[in-house]
Coordinates of all heavy atoms in Angstrom, one line a residue:
M1 N 3.7 -3.5 -10.4 CA 3.3 -2.3 -9.7 C 4.3 -2.0 -8.6 O 4.9 -2.9 -8.0 CB 1.9 -2.5 -9.0 CG 0.7 -2.6 -9.8 SD -0.7 -2.9 -8.9 CE -0.4 -4.6 -8.2
K2 N 4.5 -0.7 -8.4 CA 5.4 -0.2 -7.4 C 5.0 1.2 -6.9 O 4.6 2.0 -7.7 CB 6.8 -0.2 -8.0 CG 7.9 0.1 -7.0 CD 9.3 0.0 -7.7 CE 10.3 0.5 -6.6 NZ 11.6 0.5 -7.2
I3 N 5.2 1.4 -5.6 CA 5.0 2.7 -5.0 C 6.1 3.7 -5.6 O 7.2 3.3 -5.7 CB 5.1 2.7 -3.5 CG1 4.0 1.8 -2.9 CG2 5.1 4.0 -2.9 CD1 2.6 2.3 -3.0
K4 N 5.7 4.9 -5.9 CA 6.7 5.9 -6.3 C 7.6 6.1 -5.2 O 7.3 6.1 -4.0 CB 5.9 7.2 -6.7 CG 5.1 7.1 -7.9 CD 4.5 8.4 -8.3 CE 3.8 8.3 -9.6 NZ 3.2 9.6 -10.0
E5 N 8.9 6.5 -5.5 CA 9.9 6.6 -4.6 C 9.8 7.9 -3.7 O 10.4 7.9 -2.6 CB 11.3 6.7 -5.3 CG 11.7 5.4 -5.9 CD 13.1 5.4 -6.5 OE1 13.8 6.4 -6.2 OE2 13.4 4.5 -7.3
D6 N 8.9 8.8 -4.1 CA 8.8 10.1 -3.3 C 7.8 10.0 -2.2 O 7.3 11.0 -1.7 CB 8.5 11.2 -4.2 CG 9.6 11.6 -5.1 OD1 10.8 11.2 -4.8 OD2 9.4 12.2 -6.2
F7 N 7.4 8.8 -1.7 CA 6.5 8.6 -0.6 C 7.1 7.6 0.4 O 7.7 6.6 0.0 CB 5.2 8.1 -1.1 CG 4.4 9.0 -2.0 CD1 4.6 9.0 -3.4 CD2 3.6 10.0 -1.5 CE1 4.0 9.9 -4.2 CE2 3.0 10.9 -2.3 CZ 3.1 10.9 -3.6
L8 N 7.0 8.0 1.7 CA 7.5 7.2 2.7 C 6.4 6.8 3.7 O 5.5 7.5 4.0 CB 8.5 8.0 3.5 CG 9.8 8.4 2.8 CD1 10.7 9.3 3.7 CD2 10.6 7.2 2.3
L9 N 6.5 5.5 4.2 CA 5.6 5.0 5.2 C 6.3 5.1 6.5 O 7.5 4.7 6.6 CB 5.3 3.5 4.9 CG 4.5 2.8 5.9 CD1 3.1 3.4 6.1 CD2 4.4 1.3 5.6
R10 N 5.6 5.6 7.5 CA 6.2 5.7 8.8 C 5.2 5.3 9.9 O 4.0 5.5 9.7 CB 6.6 7.2 9.2 CG 7.7 7.7 8.3 CD 9.0 7.0 8.7 NE 10.2 7.5 8.0 CZ 10.8 6.8 7.1 NH1 10.4 5.6 6.7 NH2 11.9 7.4 6.5
K11 N 5.6 4.7 10.9 CA 4.7 4.3 12.0 C 4.9 5.4 13.1 O 6.0 5.7 13.6 CB 5.1 2.9 12.6 CG 4.1 2.5 13.7 CD 4.3 1.1 14.1 CE 3.2 0.7 15.1 NZ 3.4 -0.7 15.5
V12 N 3.8 6.0 13.5 CA 3.8 7.0 14.5 C 2.8 6.6 15.6 O 1.6 6.4 15.3 CB 3.3 8.4 13.9 CG1 3.3 9.4 15.0 CG2 4.2 8.8 12.8
A13 N 3.4 6.3 16.8 CA 2.6 5.6 17.8 C 2.0 4.4 17.3 O 2.7 3.5 16.8 CB 1.6 6.6 18.4
D14 N 0.6 4.2 17.3 CA 0.0 3.0 16.8 C -0.6 3.2 15.4 O -1.4 2.5 14.9 CB -1.1 2.6 17.7 CG -0.6 2.1 19.0 OD1 0.6 1.6 19.1 OD2 -1.3 2.2 20.1
C15 N -0.2 4.3 14.7 CA -0.7 4.6 13.4 C 0.3 4.5 12.3 O 1.5 4.8 12.6 CB -1.3 6.1 13.4 SG -2.6 6.3 14.6
Y16 N -0.1 4.2 11.1 CA 0.8 4.2 9.9 C 0.4 5.4 9.1 O -0.7 5.6 8.7 CB 0.7 2.9 9.1 CG 1.1 1.7 9.9 CD1 0.2 0.9 10.6 CD2 2.5 1.3 9.9 CE1 0.7 -0.2 11.3 CE2 2.9 0.2 10.5 CZ 2.0 -0.5 11.3 OH 2.4 -1.7 12.0
V17 N 1.4 6.2 8.7 CA 1.1 7.3 7.8 C 2.1 7.3 6.6 O 3.2 6.9 6.7 CB 1.3 8.7 8.6 CG1 0.2 8.8 9.6 CG2 2.7 8.9 9.2
V18 N 1.6 7.8 5.5 CA 2.4 8.0 4.3 C 2.5 9.5 4.1 O 1.6 10.2 4.1 CB 1.7 7.3 3.1 CG1 2.4 7.6 1.8 CG2 1.5 5.8 3.3
V19 N 3.8 9.9 3.9 CA 4.1 11.3 3.7 C 4.9 11.5 2.4 O 5.7 10.6 2.0 CB 4.8 11.9 4.8 CG1 4.0 12.0 6.1 CG2 6.1 11.2 5.1
P20 N 4.6 12.5 1.7 CA 5.4 12.8 0.4 C 6.7 13.4 0.8 O 6.9 14.1 1.8 CB 4.5 13.8 -0.3 CG 3.8 14.5 0.7 CD 3.6 13.5 1.8
V21 N 7.7 13.2 0.0 CA 9.0 13.8 0.1 C 9.5 14.3 -1.3 O 9.0 13.8 -2.3 CB 10.1 12.9 0.8 CG1 9.7 12.5 2.2 CG2 10.3 11.6 0.0
G22 N 10.5 15.1 -1.3 CA 11.0 15.6 -2.6 C 10.0 16.2 -3.5 O 9.1 17.0 -3.1
K23 N 10.0 15.8 -4.8 CA 9.1 16.4 -5.8 C 7.6 16.1 -5.5 O 6.8 16.9 -5.9 CB 9.4 15.8 -7.2 CG 10.8 16.1 -7.7 CD 11.0 15.5 -9.0 CE 11.1 14.0 -8.9 NZ 11.4 13.3 -10.1
A24 N 7.3 15.0 -4.8 CA 5.9 14.7 -4.5 C 5.2 15.7 -3.6 O 4.0 15.8 -3.6 CB 5.9 13.3 -3.8
T25 N 6.0 16.5 -2.8 CA 5.4 17.5 -1.9 C 4.7 18.6 -2.7 O 3.8 19.2 -2.2 CB 6.4 18.1 -1.0 OG1 7.4 18.7 -1.8 CG2 7.0 17.1 -0.1
V26 N 5.0 18.8 -4.0 CA 4.4 19.8 -4.8 C 3.0 19.4 -5.2 O 2.1 20.2 -5.1 CB 5.2 20.0 -6.1 CG1 4.5 21.0 -7.1 CG2 6.6 20.5 -5.8
D27 N 2.8 18.1 -5.5 CA 1.5 17.6 -6.0 C 0.6 17.0 -5.0 O -0.6 16.8 -5.1 CB 1.7 16.7 -7.2 CG 2.4 17.3 -8.4 OD1 2.1 18.5 -8.6 OD2 3.2 16.7 -9.0
F28 N 1.2 16.5 -3.9 CA 0.5 15.7 -2.9 C 0.6 16.5 -1.5 O 1.6 16.5 -0.9 CB 1.1 14.3 -2.7 CG 0.3 13.4 -1.9 CD1 -0.7 12.6 -2.5 CD2 0.5 13.3 -0.5 CE1 -1.4 11.7 -1.7 CE2 -0.3 12.4 0.2 CZ -1.2 11.6 -0.4
N29 N -0.5 17.1 -1.2 CA -0.5 17.9 0.1 C -1.1 17.0 1.2 O -2.1 16.3 1.0 CB -1.4 19.1 -0.1 CG -0.8 20.1 -1.1 OD1 0.5 20.2 -1.1 ND2 -1.6 20.7 -1.9
G30 N -0.5 17.0 2.3 CA -1.0 16.2 3.5 C -0.3 14.9 3.6 O 0.8 14.7 3.2
M31 N -1.1 13.9 4.2 CA -0.6 12.6 4.4 C -1.7 11.6 4.3 O -2.9 12.0 4.3 CB 0.1 12.5 5.8 CG -0.8 12.7 6.9 SD 0.1 12.7 8.5 CE -1.2 13.0 9.6
M32 N -1.4 10.4 4.2 CA -2.4 9.3 4.1 C -2.2 8.4 5.3 O -1.1 8.0 5.7 CB -2.1 8.5 2.8 CG -3.0 7.3 2.7 SD -2.6 6.3 1.2 CE -3.1 7.3 -0.1
N33 N -3.3 8.1 6.0 CA -3.3 7.1 7.1 C -3.7 5.7 6.6 O -4.6 5.6 5.8 CB -4.4 7.5 8.2 CG -4.0 8.8 8.8 OD1 -2.9 9.0 9.2 ND2 -5.0 9.7 8.9
L34 N -2.9 4.7 7.1 CA -3.2 3.4 6.7 C -3.4 2.5 8.0 O -2.8 2.8 9.0 CB -1.9 2.8 6.0 CG -1.5 3.5 4.7 CD1 -0.3 2.8 4.1 CD2 -2.7 3.4 3.7
N35 N -4.2 1.5 7.8 CA -4.3 0.5 8.9 C -3.2 -0.5 8.7 O -2.3 -0.4 7.9 CB -5.7 -0.2 8.9 CG -6.0 -0.9 7.6 OD1 -5.1 -1.3 6.9 ND2 -7.2 -1.2 7.4
E36 N -3.1 -1.5 9.6 CA -2.0 -2.5 9.6 C -2.0 -3.2 8.3 O -0.9 -3.4 7.7 CB -2.2 -3.5 10.7 CG -1.1 -4.5 10.8 CD -1.3 -5.4 12.0 OE1 -1.8 -5.1 13.0 OE2 -0.9 -6.6 11.8
T37 N -3.1 -3.6 7.7 CA -3.1 -4.3 6.5 C -2.7 -3.4 5.3 O -1.9 -3.9 4.5 CB -4.5 -4.9 6.2 OG1 -5.0 -5.7 7.3 CG2 -4.6 -5.7 4.9
G38 N -3.1 -2.2 5.3 CA -2.7 -1.2 4.3 C -1.2 -1.0 4.4 O -0.5 -1.0 3.3
A39 N -0.6 -0.9 5.6 CA 0.8 -0.8 5.7 C 1.6 -2.0 5.2 O 2.6 -2.0 4.6 CB 1.2 -0.5 7.2
F40 N 1.0 -3.2 5.5 CA 1.6 -4.5 5.0 C 1.7 -4.5 3.5 O 2.7 -4.8 2.9 CB 0.7 -5.7 5.5 CG 1.2 -7.0 5.0 CD1 2.2 -7.6 5.6 CD2 0.5 -7.6 4.0 CE1 2.7 -8.9 5.1 CE2 0.9 -8.8 3.5 CZ 2.0 -9.5 4.1
L41 N 0.5 -4.1 2.8 CA 0.5 -4.1 1.4 C 1.4 -3.0 0.8 O 2.1 -3.2 -0.2 CB -0.9 -3.9 0.9 CG -1.9 -5.0 1.2 CD1 -3.3 -4.6 0.8 CD2 -1.5 -6.3 0.4
W42 N 1.5 -1.9 1.5 CA 2.4 -0.8 1.1 C 3.8 -1.3 1.1 O 4.6 -1.0 0.1 CB 2.2 0.4 2.0 CG 3.1 1.6 1.6 CD1 4.4 1.8 1.9 CD2 2.7 2.7 0.9 NE1 4.9 2.9 1.4 CE2 3.8 3.6 0.8 CE3 1.5 3.2 0.3 CZ2 3.8 4.8 0.1 CZ3 1.5 4.4 -0.3 CH2 2.6 5.2 -0.4
E43 N 4.2 -1.9 2.1 CA 5.6 -2.4 2.2 C 5.9 -3.4 1.1 O 7.0 -3.4 0.5 CB 5.9 -3.0 3.6 CG 5.9 -2.0 4.7 CD 6.0 -2.6 6.1 OE1 5.7 -3.8 6.3 OE2 6.4 -1.8 7.0
K44 N 4.9 -4.2 0.7 CA 5.1 -5.2 -0.4 C 5.3 -4.4 -1.7 O 6.1 -4.8 -2.6 CB 4.0 -6.2 -0.5 CG 3.8 -7.0 0.7 CD 5.0 -7.9 0.9 CE 4.9 -8.7 2.2 NZ 6.1 -9.3 2.6
L45 N 4.6 -3.3 -1.8 CA 4.6 -2.5 -3.1 C 5.8 -1.5 -3.2 O 6.0 -0.9 -4.2 CB 3.3 -1.7 -3.2 CG 2.1 -2.5 -3.6 CD1 0.8 -1.7 -3.3 CD2 2.1 -2.9 -5.0
E46 N 6.6 -1.5 -2.1 CA 7.8 -0.7 -2.2 C 8.8 -1.3 -3.2 O 9.7 -0.7 -3.7 CB 8.4 -0.5 -0.8 CG 7.7 0.4 0.1 CD 8.2 0.6 1.5 OE1 9.0 -0.3 1.9 OE2 7.9 1.6 2.1
N47 N 8.6 -2.6 -3.4 CA 9.4 -3.3 -4.5 C 8.3 -3.7 -5.6 O 7.2 -4.0 -5.3 CB 10.0 -4.6 -3.9 CG 11.0 -4.3 -2.8 OD1 11.9 -3.5 -3.1 ND2 10.8 -4.8 -1.6
D48 N 8.8 -3.8 -6.8 CA 7.9 -4.2 -7.9 C 7.2 -5.5 -7.6 O 7.9 -6.5 -7.3 CB 8.7 -4.2 -9.2 CG 7.8 -4.1 -10.4 OD1 6.7 -3.6 -10.3 OD2 8.2 -4.6 -11.5
T49 N 5.9 -5.5 -7.6 CA 5.2 -6.8 -7.3 C 3.9 -6.8 -8.1 O 3.5 -5.8 -8.7 CB 4.9 -6.8 -5.8 OG1 4.4 -8.1 -5.5 CG2 3.9 -5.8 -5.4
T50 N 3.3 -8.0 -8.2 CA 2.0 -8.2 -8.9 C 0.9 -8.3 -7.9 O 1.1 -8.6 -6.7 CB 2.1 -9.4 -9.8 OG1 2.2 -10.6 -9.0 CG2 3.3 -9.3 -10.8
K51 N -0.4 -8.3 -8.5 CA -1.5 -8.5 -7.6 C -1.5 -9.9 -7.1 O -1.9 -10.2 -5.9 CB -2.8 -8.4 -8.4 CG -3.3 -6.9 -8.6 CD -4.7 -6.9 -9.2 CE -5.1 -5.5 -9.5 NZ -6.4 -5.5 -10.1
E52 N -1.0 -10.9 -7.9 CA -1.0 -12.3 -7.4 C 0.0 -12.4 -6.3 O -0.3 -13.2 -5.3 CB -0.6 -13.2 -8.6 CG -1.6 -13.3 -9.7 CD -1.7 -12.1 -10.6 OE1 -0.7 -11.3 -10.7 OE2 -2.7 -11.9 -11.3
E53 N 1.1 -11.7 -6.3 CA 2.1 -11.8 -5.2 C 1.5 -11.1 -4.0 O 1.8 -11.6 -2.9 CB 3.4 -11.1 -5.7 CG 4.2 -11.9 -6.7 CD 5.3 -11.2 -7.4 OE1 5.2 -9.9 -7.4 OE2 6.3 -11.8 -7.8
L54 N 0.8 -10.0 -4.2 CA 0.2 -9.4 -3.0 C -0.8 -10.3 -2.4 O -0.9 -10.5 -1.1 CB -0.5 -8.1 -3.4 CG 0.3 -6.9 -3.8 CD1 -0.5 -5.8 -4.3 CD2 1.2 -6.5 -2.6
L55 N -1.6 -11.0 -3.2 CA -2.6 -11.9 -2.7 C -2.0 -13.1 -1.9 O -2.4 -13.4 -0.8 CB -3.5 -12.5 -3.8 CG -4.6 -13.5 -3.4 CD1 -5.6 -12.9 -2.5 CD2 -5.3 -14.0 -4.7
K56 N -1.0 -13.7 -2.5 CA -0.3 -14.7 -1.8 C 0.3 -14.3 -0.4 O 0.1 -14.9 0.6 CB 0.8 -15.3 -2.6 CG 1.6 -16.5 -2.0 CD 2.7 -17.1 -2.8 CE 3.4 -18.2 -2.2 NZ 3.5 -18.3 -0.7
A57 N 0.9 -13.1 -0.4 CA 1.5 -12.6 0.8 C 0.4 -12.3 1.8 O 0.6 -12.6 3.0 CB 2.3 -11.3 0.5
M58 N -0.7 -11.8 1.4 CA -1.8 -11.5 2.3 C -2.4 -12.7 2.9 O -2.7 -12.8 4.1 CB -2.8 -10.6 1.6 CG -3.8 -10.0 2.6 SD -4.7 -8.7 1.7 CE -5.9 -8.3 2.9
L59 N -2.6 -13.7 2.1 CA -3.1 -15.0 2.6 C -2.2 -15.7 3.5 O -2.6 -16.4 4.4 CB -3.5 -15.9 1.4 CG -4.7 -15.4 0.5 CD1 -4.9 -16.3 -0.7 CD2 -6.0 -15.2 1.3
D60 N -0.9 -15.6 3.3 CA 0.1 -16.2 4.1 C 0.2 -15.5 5.5 O 0.4 -16.1 6.5 CB 1.5 -16.1 3.5 CG 1.7 -17.1 2.3 OD1 0.8 -18.0 2.2 OD2 2.6 -17.0 1.6
E61 N -0.1 -14.2 5.5 CA 0.1 -13.3 6.7 C -1.2 -13.3 7.6 O -1.1 -13.3 8.8 CB 0.5 -11.9 6.3 CG 0.7 -11.0 7.5 CD 2.0 -11.3 8.2 OE1 2.9 -12.0 7.7 OE2 2.2 -10.8 9.4
Y62 N -2.3 -13.3 6.9 CA -3.6 -13.1 7.6 C -4.6 -14.2 7.3 O -4.6 -14.8 6.3 CB -4.3 -11.8 7.1 CG -3.5 -10.5 7.4 CD1 -2.7 -9.9 6.4 CD2 -3.5 -10.0 8.7 CE1 -2.0 -8.8 6.6 CE2 -2.7 -8.8 8.9 CZ -2.0 -8.2 7.9 OH -1.2 -7.1 8.1
E63 N -5.4 -14.5 8.3 CA -6.5 -15.5 8.2 C -7.7 -14.8 7.6 O -8.5 -14.2 8.3 CB -6.8 -16.1 9.5 CG -5.7 -17.0 10.1 CD -6.1 -17.7 11.3 OE1 -7.3 -17.9 11.6 OE2 -5.2 -18.0 12.1
V64 N -7.8 -14.7 6.3 CA -8.8 -14.0 5.6 C -9.2 -14.9 4.3 O -8.4 -15.5 3.7 CB -8.4 -12.6 5.1 CG1 -7.2 -12.7 4.2 CG2 -9.5 -11.8 4.5
P65 N -10.5 -14.9 4.0 CA -10.9 -15.7 2.8 C -10.3 -15.0 1.6 O -10.2 -13.8 1.5 CB -12.5 -15.5 2.8 CG -12.8 -15.2 4.3 CD -11.7 -14.5 4.8
E66 N -10.0 -15.8 0.6 CA -9.4 -15.3 -0.6 C -10.2 -14.2 -1.3 O -9.7 -13.3 -1.8 CB -9.1 -16.5 -1.6 CG -8.3 -16.1 -2.8 CD -7.9 -17.2 -3.6 OE1 -7.7 -18.4 -3.1 OE2 -7.6 -17.0 -4.8
D67 N -11.5 -14.4 -1.4 CA -12.4 -13.4 -2.1 C -12.3 -12.1 -1.4 O -12.3 -11.0 -2.0 CB -13.8 -14.0 -2.3 CG -14.5 -14.3 -1.0 OD1 -13.9 -14.7 0.0 OD2 -15.7 -14.1 -0.9
I68 N -12.3 -12.1 -0.1 CA -12.2 -10.8 0.7 C -10.8 -10.2 0.5 O -10.7 -9.0 0.3 CB -12.5 -11.1 2.2 CG1 -13.8 -11.7 2.4 CG2 -12.3 -9.8 3.0 CD1 -15.0 -10.8 2.1
A69 N -9.8 -11.0 0.5 CA -8.4 -10.5 0.3 C -8.3 -9.8 -1.1 O -7.8 -8.7 -1.2 CB -7.4 -11.6 0.5
K70 N -8.9 -10.5 -2.1 CA -8.8 -9.9 -3.5 C -9.5 -8.6 -3.5 O -9.0 -7.7 -4.2 CB -9.5 -10.9 -4.5 CG -8.6 -12.1 -4.9 CD -9.3 -13.0 -5.9 CE -8.5 -14.2 -6.3 NZ -9.2 -15.0 -7.2
K71 N -10.7 -8.5 -2.9 CA -11.5 -7.3 -2.9 C -10.7 -6.2 -2.2 O -10.6 -5.0 -2.7 CB -12.8 -7.5 -2.3 CG -13.7 -6.3 -2.2 CD -15.0 -6.6 -1.6 CE -15.8 -5.4 -1.4 NZ -17.0 -5.6 -0.6
D72 N -10.1 -6.5 -1.1 CA -9.4 -5.5 -0.3 C -8.2 -5.0 -1.1 O -7.9 -3.8 -1.1 CB -8.9 -6.1 1.0 CG -10.1 -6.2 2.0 OD1 -11.2 -5.7 1.8 OD2 -9.9 -6.9 3.1
I73 N -7.5 -5.9 -1.7 CA -6.3 -5.5 -2.5 C -6.7 -4.6 -3.7 O -6.1 -3.6 -4.0 CB -5.5 -6.8 -3.0 CG1 -4.9 -7.5 -1.8 CG2 -4.5 -6.4 -4.1 CD1 -4.3 -8.9 -2.1
D74 N -7.8 -5.0 -4.4 CA -8.3 -4.2 -5.5 C -8.7 -2.8 -5.0 O -8.3 -1.8 -5.7 CB -9.5 -4.9 -6.2 CG -9.1 -6.1 -7.0 OD1 -7.9 -6.2 -7.4 OD2 -10.0 -6.9 -7.3
N75 N -9.3 -2.7 -3.9 CA -9.7 -1.4 -3.3 C -8.5 -0.6 -3.0 O -8.4 0.6 -3.3 CB -10.6 -1.5 -2.1 CG -12.0 -2.0 -2.5 OD1 -12.5 -1.8 -3.6 ND2 -12.7 -2.6 -1.5
F76 N -7.5 -1.2 -2.4 CA -6.3 -0.5 -2.0 C -5.5 0.0 -3.2 O -5.1 1.2 -3.3 CB -5.4 -1.4 -1.2 CG -4.2 -0.8 -0.6 CD1 -4.3 0.2 0.4 CD2 -2.9 -1.1 -1.0 CE1 -3.2 0.8 1.0 CE2 -1.8 -0.5 -0.4 CZ -2.0 0.5 0.6
I77 N -5.4 -0.8 -4.2 CA -4.7 -0.4 -5.5 C -5.4 0.7 -6.1 O -4.8 1.7 -6.6 CB -4.5 -1.6 -6.4 CG1 -3.5 -2.6 -5.8 CG2 -4.1 -1.2 -7.8 CD1 -3.4 -3.9 -6.5
T78 N -6.8 0.6 -6.2 CA -7.5 1.7 -6.8 C -7.3 3.0 -6.0 O -7.1 4.1 -6.7 CB -9.0 1.4 -6.7 OG1 -9.3 0.2 -7.5 CG2 -9.9 2.5 -7.2
K79 N -7.2 3.0 -4.7 CA -6.9 4.3 -4.0 C -5.5 4.8 -4.3 O -5.3 6.0 -4.4 CB -7.1 4.0 -2.5 CG -8.6 3.9 -2.1 CD -8.8 3.6 -0.6 CE -10.2 3.5 -0.3 NZ -10.5 3.3 1.1
L80 N -4.6 3.9 -4.4 CA -3.2 4.3 -4.7 C -3.1 4.9 -6.1 O -2.5 5.9 -6.3 CB -2.3 3.1 -4.6 CG -2.0 2.6 -3.2 CD1 -1.1 1.4 -3.3 CD2 -1.5 3.6 -2.2
K81 N -3.8 4.3 -7.1 CA -3.9 4.8 -8.4 C -4.6 6.2 -8.4 O -4.1 7.1 -9.1 CB -4.6 3.9 -9.4 CG -3.7 2.7 -9.7 CD -4.5 1.7 -10.7 CE -3.6 0.5 -11.0 NZ -4.3 -0.4 -11.9
D82 N -5.7 6.3 -7.7 CA -6.4 7.6 -7.7 C -5.5 8.7 -7.1 O -5.6 9.9 -7.5 CB -7.7 7.5 -6.9 CG -8.7 6.6 -7.6 OD1 -8.6 6.3 -8.8 OD2 -9.7 6.2 -6.9
G83 N -4.7 8.4 -6.1 CA -3.8 9.3 -5.5 C -2.5 9.5 -6.3 O -1.6 10.2 -5.9
N84 N -2.3 8.8 -7.4 CA -1.1 8.9 -8.2 C 0.1 8.5 -7.5 O 1.1 9.1 -7.6 CB -1.0 10.3 -8.9 CG 0.0 10.3 -10.0 OD1 0.2 9.2 -10.7 ND2 0.6 11.4 -10.3
L85 N 0.0 7.4 -6.7 CA 1.1 6.9 -5.8 C 1.9 5.8 -6.4 O 2.9 5.3 -5.9 CB 0.6 6.6 -4.5 CG -0.2 7.7 -3.7 CD1 -0.8 7.1 -2.4 CD2 0.8 8.8 -3.3
L86 N 1.4 5.2 -7.5 CA 2.0 4.1 -8.2 C 2.8 4.5 -9.4 O 2.3 5.4 -10.1 CB 1.0 3.0 -8.5 CG 0.3 2.3 -7.4 CD1 -0.8 1.3 -7.9 CD2 1.3 1.5 -6.5
E87 N 3.9 3.8 -9.7 CA 4.6 4.0 -10.9 C 3.9 3.3 -12.0 O 3.3 2.3 -11.9 CB 6.1 3.5 -10.8 CG 6.9 4.3 -9.8 CD 8.3 3.8 -9.7 OE1 8.7 2.7 -10.3 OE2 9.1 4.5 -9.1

């Protein structure tokens, strides 16, 4: 899995936002707000990665039970797929 190249993550003050650029501005209006964990996962998905790699990275970075991390990753990936943000 990988984030499409036409989307950028930016930190504005204490918030993380995703904005479309290039061709993506035609189909994606607005922006997406992410929390710190969402931004962490987004950055990992800027390079081709698997769910297993995301899970390992999340467990290494945060003190969270594995079952909660899996659920959060699945929810995040579903939202990205629904928004057509993944290649």
Side-chain angles (χ1 to χ4, degrees):
M1 291 177 294
K2 184 178 176 183
I3 297 291
K4 289 183 177 180
E5 291 184 16
D6 290 340
F7 294 93
L8 298 176
L9 174 66
R10 294 289 183 251
K11 185 172 184 180
V12 179
D14 291 333
C15 300
Y16 294 93
V17 294
V18 173
V19 294
V21 295
K23 296 180 292 183
T25 57
V26 174
D27 298 323
F28 191 91
N29 296 320
M31 64 182 177
M32 176 187 286
N33 293 313
L34 299 178
N35 62 19
E36 182 179 327
T37 306
F40 175 80
L41 293 173
W42 181 280
E43 289 174 343
K44 299 297 178 194
L45 286 164
E46 288 178 339
N47 299 303
D48 198 22
T49 190
T50 66
K51 279 187 186 181
E52 292 77 22
E53 291 168 332
L54 289 176
L55 178 61
K56 181 181 180 331
M58 194 164 172
L59 293 174
D60 288 346
E61 184 72 18
Y62 299 101
E63 291 184 28
V64 60
E66 185 172 335
D67 60 326
I68 300 293
K70 282 182 181 179
K71 182 180 172 188
D72 289 348
I73 289 168
D74 286 341
N75 288 338
F76 187 68
I77 290 171
T78 297
K79 288 180 181 181
L80 294 177
K81 285 180 180 177
D82 289 347
N84 198 24
L85 302 172
L86 292 175
E87 291 183 350

